[in-house]
Amino acid sequence: CQTVFITVFFFVGNFVRNRMNILYEDNHIIIVNKTNNEIVQVDKTGDTSLEDSLKAYIKEKYQKPGNVFLGVTHRLDRPVSGIVVFAKTSKALTRLNEMFRNGEVQKTYWAIVKDRPKQEAATLEQYIVRNEKQNKSYAYDKERPNSKKAILRYKLIGHSQNYHLLEVDLQTGRHHQIRCQLAKMGCPIKGDLKYGSPRSNPDGSICLHARRVTFVHPVSKEVIDITAPLPSGNLWNGFDME
């Protein structure tokens, strides 16, 4: 298969008060670098969603009449930044949904934590229970009623004077999985008050970034390998890499 590598980004126009950060686009898919204040789909806040902004972008760019089709294949929590993959056709949406369910989409995240993990690299296998009223998940070492198995691999890839940078490969897609499992091992993500960080970040973000995604294109069968730029600021760029 031919591999498509994208490591740069560009801004595409102003519309509906948003500035789109497009990493990749073709006839079937569009991949965006979400900022930490955007919501992927409309929620109870009523704020403009990334989905709606992209529909407006597609409608304007291609002068499409009527409603624009756009499928959400996965989501990121609002305070999390990074890669989100959308489908522009029903064929791509059906195939991408199946690929996500089957673990055929490789997702890599970067996380900043205060405390150095006891092991520089490890696989975490736990059972997560979601509390919908609290909008929070809890990780347990043994299976519990209504729990779902959660697996991720992490490794320490950088350090600064005050923080450590972890790379996380997500094997399952559970509610707040990375946030929950890193907190369970004593390394809450910087700014994540819900999971034990002592202080919030001034912009309301947490220091979790969907850094890279790799998958076989659902239609062309090319290997798509996308790396998202890091959030702006000295914190993300101030690490000595291991």
Side-chain angles (χ1 to χ4, degrees):
C1 294
Q2 181 182 357
T3 302
V4 179
F5 291 96
I6 306 290
T7 56
V8 296
F9 67 100
F10 57 93
F11 289 115
V12 184
N14 279 315
F15 60 95
V16 292
R17 298 170 297 165
N18 281 326
R19 201 167 179 83
M20 300 312 303
N21 188 349
I22 311 294
L23 298 172
Y24 177 87
E25 182 182 4
D26 63 25
N27 291 335
H28 293 279
I29 62 175
I30 184 167
I31 302 176
V32 180
N33 188 20
K34 185 182 94 66
T35 64
N36 59 52
N37 62 353
E38 290 178 305
I39 53 174
V40 174
Q41 288 183 299
V42 171
D43 63 9
K44 61 184 179 182
T45 66
D47 294 342
T48 300
S49 70
L50 188 55
E51 179 187 14
D52 288 338
S53 297
L54 279 172
K55 285 182 178 179
Y57 155 76
I58 293 168
K59 187 177 183 66
E60 178 183 320
K61 180 177 180 180
Y62 300 103
Q63 299 182 347
K64 285 184 172 289
N67 295 329
V68 172
F69 179 88
L70 189 71
V72 178
T73 65
H74 66 115
R75 298 164 183 81
L76 292 180
D77 298 335
R78 184 166 193 159
V80 179
S81 60
I83 291 173
V84 184
V85 180
F86 293 88
K88 294 171 65 178
T89 63
S90 57
K91 178 191 292 187
L93 178 61
T94 298
R95 294 179 181 177
L96 280 169
N97 283 341
E98 184 177 0
M99 290 164 64
F100 273 99
R101 283 195 300 269
N102 294 337
E104 297 172 19
V105 180
Q106 182 180 346
K107 295 175 288 183
T108 301
Y109 293 75
W110 282 14
I112 297 175
V113 300
K114 175 69 174 177
D115 299 309
R116 186 184 181 96
K118 294 178 180 178
Q119 296 176 281
E120 292 194 359
T123 297
L124 303 181
E125 294 190 17
Q126 290 155 332
Y127 294 88
I128 285 181
V129 177
R130 179 179 181 178
N131 186 315
E132 293 191 7
K133 290 183 178 180
Q134 296 178 334
N135 190 30
K136 185 175 179 179
S137 290
Y138 295 86
Y140 300 94
D141 294 326
K142 296 183 179 180
E143 192 170 4
R144 296 283 187 98
N146 301 316
S147 65
K148 294 182 178 180
K149 192 170 187 178
I151 305 172
L152 65 77
R153 293 196 301 264
Y154 77 85
K155 62 179 177 180
L156 179 66
I157 61 171
H159 65 275
S160 64
Q161 183 175 355
N162 297 312
Y163 298 102
H164 302 282
L165 181 64
L166 304 182
E167 183 172 272
V168 178
D169 289 324
L170 200 57
Q171 303 299 299
T172 54
R174 308 307 183 199
H175 178 258
H176 292 181
Q177 181 179 338
I178 298 174
R179 301 166 65 179
C180 177
Q181 287 192 278
L182 292 187
K184 172 72 172 176
M185 77 170 188
C187 298
I189 295 168
K190 183 182 183 302
D192 197 357
L193 294 178
K194 179 168 286 192
Y195 288 95
S197 178
R199 288 181 296 277
S200 61
N201 291 334
D203 62 359
S205 70
I206 65 173
C207 291
L208 179 62
H209 183 65
R211 177 66 165 161
R212 183 178 179 185
V213 66
T214 306
F215 59 94
V216 175
H217 192 288
V219 180
S220 72
K221 304 307 178 183
E222 292 179 318
V223 177
I224 304 297
D225 192 331
I226 307 292
T227 299
L230 294 171
S232 60
N234 294 329
L235 183 63
W236 281 102
N237 297 291
F239 287 94
D240 295 323
M241 305 305 285
E242 298 284 339

